[in-house]
């Protein structure tokens, strides 16, 4: 794919990481933010990440911080928005962006949960707009969900799919703009049952996590659930579903157990206790374990691609 001119709006946790991925892939990237400190530190943060990962540090030369939105997006082929999760702000921003870009510039939002349809409904040319949902950290987690709305053109979807694949990501086409897209629907279906198991006294929180990590969690990175179903047989899967599904939590609202935790101020790491207690040392150790795991997986992927 030809190199593109990319504008990233929002230089926070996700924005700077997205800019890093595109710059490393050879694209020219402008990045903008309304908070001067966040914009000013963007290149430093990207360079630190490149160094830490042993990536080509000259990629930083392709990143240009720009304080004015109009100037940042003016020459862009592709604009991706990663500002705070606020619908009216995102809606206003895209209407503003559309005033400054070419008629064929593609516009994407990195929202986690807001429907893309709502964000883009005020645009003049809604066929050029879509969602691109990256996962944190953008330079370590391969998936980018590419979400089309009822208005998105096939050309827009193809461009986004090709751009992300050529930038070393694993794009997944989400054909309908549904809450949670694909990844978070799957993740939270699992989390609902995880909470229910604790709520109903079947095991404690530590056991839930341990069962996942030491059993199917081990396989999940190389064996998806539907591959697994085919491997064991759809007939066996059907038989298991007939027995287990009637008993699995299917309430269409959050568990009262989770609501009580929040009510009691047990907010997890930030309060020192959630489903279980977390000392500052335990929190650091877990964050570090996750980061090391993701880095190793990325290094393995890169080796395999050589
Ligand atoms: N953090 C995650 O794990 C994650 C994962 C996937 C998607 N997202 C989504 O990505 C988006 C950004 O999340 P984040 O975690 O990077 O947030 P963040 O708070 O780290 O960064 C948001 C940035 O947007 C800037 N900003 C606010 N208003 C702006 C404006 N009008 N113009 C330009 N910049 C503006 C802020 O100054 C800040 O630097 C959100 O929609 C979030 O839901 C986050």
């Amino acid at each position: 794919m030809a190199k593109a001119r990319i504008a990233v709006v929002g230089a926070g946790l996700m924005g700077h990481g997205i800019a890093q991925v595109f710059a490393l892939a050879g694209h020219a990237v402008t990045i903008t933010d309304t908070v001067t400190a966040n914009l000013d530190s963007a290149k430093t943060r990207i360079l630190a990440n490149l160094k830490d990962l042993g990536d080509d540090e000259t990629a930083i030369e392709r990143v240009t911080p720009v304080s004015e939105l109009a100037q940042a997006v003016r020459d862009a082929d592709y604009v991706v928005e990663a500002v705070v999760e606020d619908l009216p702000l995102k809606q206003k921003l895209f209407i503003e962006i559309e005033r400054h870009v070419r008629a064929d510039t593609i516009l994407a939002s990195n929202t986690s949960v807001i429907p893309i349809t709502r964000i883009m409904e005020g645009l003049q040319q809604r066929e050029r707009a879509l969602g691109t949902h990256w996962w944190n950290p953008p330079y370590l987690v391969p998936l980018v969900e590419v979400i089309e709305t009822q208005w998105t053109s096939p050309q827009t979807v193809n461009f986004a799919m090709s751009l992300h694949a050529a930038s070393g990501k694993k794009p997944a086409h989400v054909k309908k703009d549904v809450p949670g897209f694909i990844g978070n629907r799957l993740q939270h279906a699992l989390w609902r049952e995880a909470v229910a198991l604790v709520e109903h006294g079947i095991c404690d929180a530590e056991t839930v996590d341990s069962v996942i990590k030491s059993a199917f969690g081990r396989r999940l990175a190389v064996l998806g659930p539907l591959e697994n179903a085919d491997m064991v047989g759809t007939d066996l899967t059907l038989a298991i579903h007939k027995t287990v599904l009637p008993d699995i939590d299917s309430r269409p609202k959050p568990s009262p157990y989770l609501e009580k935790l929040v009510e009691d101020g047990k907010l997890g790491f930030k309060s020192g206790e959630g489903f279980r207690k977390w000392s500052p040392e335990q929190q650091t150790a877990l964050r570090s374990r996750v980061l090391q795991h993701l880095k190793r997986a990325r290094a393995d992927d890169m080796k395999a691609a050589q």
Side-chain angles (χ1 to χ4, degrees):
M1 162 172 213
K3 297 302 174 210
R5 283 164 301 181
I6 293 176
V8 180
V9 182
L13 187 66
M14 297 304 288
H16 90 283
I18 293 170
Q20 176 183 329
V21 170
F22 284 136
L24 189 64
H27 302 290
V29 181
T30 57
I31 185 163
T32 188
D33 200 292
T34 44
V35 175
T36 311
N38 295 357
L39 186 61
D40 288 350
S41 65
K43 282 187 84 159
T44 314
R45 285 178 283 142
I46 293 171
L47 187 58
N49 294 339
L50 292 169
K51 280 191 172 137
D52 182 47
L53 294 169
D55 289 340
D56 176 11
E57 292 175 30
T58 63
I60 196 66
E61 292 159 18
R62 287 188 284 278
V63 180
T64 310
V66 177
S67 55
E68 291 300 316
L69 175 72
Q71 197 195 331
V73 302
R74 199 179 47 210
D75 298 324
D77 303 307
Y78 180 78
V79 179
V80 53
E81 165 276 317
V83 307
V84 285
E85 192 77 335
D86 174 334
L87 176 60
L89 171 68
K90 288 183 194 274
Q91 287 174 324
K92 219 174 95 214
L93 197 54
F94 274 104
I95 289 170
E96 172 76 14
I97 290 169
E98 199 177 37
R99 284 200 201 109
H100 303 294
V101 293
R102 294 192 317 262
D104 62 345
T105 299
I106 289 172
L107 308 179
S109 173
N110 182 50
T111 177
S112 306
V113 290
I114 302 174
I116 308 301
T117 308
R118 295 298 315 282
I119 295 174
M120 304 301 183
E121 64 192 8
L123 290 183
Q124 301 287 322
Q125 286 179 259
R126 297 183 289 202
E127 70 282 358
R128 51 138 117 212
L130 78 179
T132 54
H133 179 229
W134 295 63
W135 291 61
N136 185 45
Y139 43 87
L140 292 181
V141 181
L143 178 67
V144 179
E145 290 170 288
V146 173
I147 307 119
E148 68 172 273
T149 70
Q150 60 192 296
W151 309 297
T152 314
S153 71
Q155 292 85 338
T156 301
V157 173
N158 290 343
F159 178 89
M161 293 294 287
S162 308
L163 173 71
H164 291 92
S167 301
K169 307 311 289 179
K170 288 250 184 292
H173 183 187
V174 186
K175 296 178 187 169
K176 288 184 183 167
D177 184 20
V178 291
F181 312 134
I182 299 172
N184 271 323
R185 285 172 90 91
L186 290 168
Q187 192 167 229
H188 286 274
L190 179 61
W191 290 21
R192 174 165 64 183
E193 185 56 27
V195 177
L197 286 166
V198 177
E199 178 186 339
H200 299 308
I202 294 149
C203 61
D204 60 17
E206 215 162 335
T207 305
V208 168
D209 290 337
S210 162
V211 164
I212 294 171
K213 288 189 283 185
S214 55
F216 63 89
R218 279 275 166 113
R219 298 193 297 233
L220 271 178
V222 290
L223 181 69
L226 303 184
E227 286 172 331
N228 200 343
D230 277 349
M231 193 181 274
V232 299
T234 53
D235 50 341
L236 177 60
T237 306
L238 177 63
I240 295 170
H241 278 200
K242 281 183 178 161
T243 309
V244 174
L245 291 194
D247 212 53
I248 285 182
D249 191 10
S250 62
R251 288 171 292 184
K253 51 188 187 200
S255 152
Y257 187 95
L258 179 60
E259 282 175 336
K260 177 90 173 39
L261 284 183
V262 175
E263 225 173 82
D264 292 348
K266 294 182 178 170
L267 305 179
F269 279 19
K270 60 186 142 189
S271 69
E273 184 176 353
F275 285 96
R276 41 181 149 146
K277 291 198 165 109
W278 296 98
S279 69
E281 295 73 30
Q282 287 171 321
Q283 293 181 25
T284 307
L286 185 53
R287 284 190 205 283
S288 157
R289 206 174 318 138
V290 174
L291 203 60
Q292 292 313 319
H293 171 75
L294 292 175
K295 281 188 194 174
R296 268 197 308 273
R298 179 183 187 261
D300 289 349
D301 284 351
M302 287 168 75
K303 220 179 280 165
Q306 276 167 10

